[in-house]
Amino acid sequence: RPANYPDGVAGRGYGIYNYNENIRVQAFSNENHTFLYWMEADSIVSTESEYNFTVKNDRQLTAVFCFGVFHNTMLSEGWNWYSTFVDVEGNAGYEMLTDGLGSNAIIVKSQTHFTTYYEDYDIWDGSLDAVDNEHLYMIKMSDEQNLPMIGAVSDPSNINLTLNPGWTWISYPIKESQALNESLSGFTPR
């Protein structure tokens, strides 16, 4: 049976099926909504947008979407450079980052601030208290882990990059991969 999907997203695979029939349901995201998972009752049954199963009884599946995009970055053990194209700001961005890292990160640094994870107390502490898509960060990981960030896609034309004397860490707030000269072509020095 069809669910009520957000505007512009769709699902395929609802209907009435026979016992032991192999079924595939599929959810389609759009630029404003990202598929997260399929649920049945209170359980997640699949995180893949395409879900296959054999009919054994009546089932009611729900495709769960979030508003915005899902940016998932694999961070390796050791030091990682990190920026995101997701439009996150301030304390909300910081909480999304530190919650996503959990206890697998040791330290997060911007060019001027840092925060350290204290495992014995299960807290992050330091001068870094805001994260956004205008800055580049270094993250030291104790183990490999995916870092999920969810939100709207940032508009690079609204991002101000400040070049300081000496070294400047420049974020990459663009969703698509591009050559460096193409990525920076829209920025005008002031």
Side-chain angles (χ1 to χ4, degrees):
R1 163 179 96 134
N4 292 325
Y5 293 110
D7 290 340
V9 299
R12 179 172 59 207
Y14 50 86
I16 298 172
Y17 300 95
N18 295 319
Y19 182 80
N20 271 345
E21 189 173 351
N22 292 322
I23 303 300
R24 179 178 65 191
V25 291
Q26 190 170 7
F28 300 93
S29 301
N30 67 17
E31 66 226 24
N32 296 317
H33 295 86
T34 299
F35 170 80
L36 295 177
Y37 45 81
W38 287 99
M39 285 195 73
E40 185 169 23
D42 293 330
S43 299
I44 296 173
V45 293
S46 177
T47 57
E48 300 297 321
S49 64
E50 191 174 293
Y51 176 51
N52 297 293
F53 63 95
T54 301
V55 174
K56 297 293 183 187
N57 52 22
D58 289 342
R59 298 188 73 177
Q60 185 170 350
L61 299 171
T62 302
V64 178
F65 295 84
C66 70
F67 178 76
V69 294
F70 184 71
H71 180 203
N72 202 24
T73 305
M74 175 56 78
L75 300 176
S76 302
E77 181 181 341
W79 285 104
N80 297 265
W81 289 105
Y82 177 78
S83 66
T84 184
F85 58 79
V86 174
D87 192 7
V88 295
E89 289 185 20
N91 189 261
Y94 173 83
E95 287 180 13
M96 196 180 315
L97 179 84
T98 55
D99 288 350
L101 292 171
S103 62
N104 287 329
I106 300 167
I107 189 168
V108 179
K109 295 175 153 186
S110 71
Q111 198 159 354
T112 55
H113 300 283
F114 73 95
T115 187
T116 303
Y117 179 70
Y118 295 95
E119 189 172 2
D120 291 344
Y121 303 101
D122 192 30
I123 62 166
W124 287 90
D125 190 42
S127 59
L128 180 68
D129 60 2
V131 170
D132 57 41
N133 58 355
E134 294 183 11
H135 292 90
L136 181 65
Y137 302 91
M138 288 184 71
I139 303 174
K140 187 172 186 182
M141 300 294 294
S142 58
D143 291 305
E144 178 179 86
Q145 178 178 324
N146 281 311
L147 174 61
M149 298 291 268
I150 298 171
V153 175
S154 63
D155 179 356
S157 67
N158 292 331
I159 293 177
N160 296 314
L161 297 177
T162 303
L163 301 179
N164 299 310
W167 291 97
T168 300
W169 297 1
I170 299 175
S171 69
Y172 190 81
I174 302 167
K175 185 176 179 183
E176 299 81 23
S177 295
Q178 296 178 347
L180 184 59
N181 61 346
E182 185 181 351
S183 299
L184 298 175
S185 66
F187 293 99
T188 306
R190 294 180 193 174

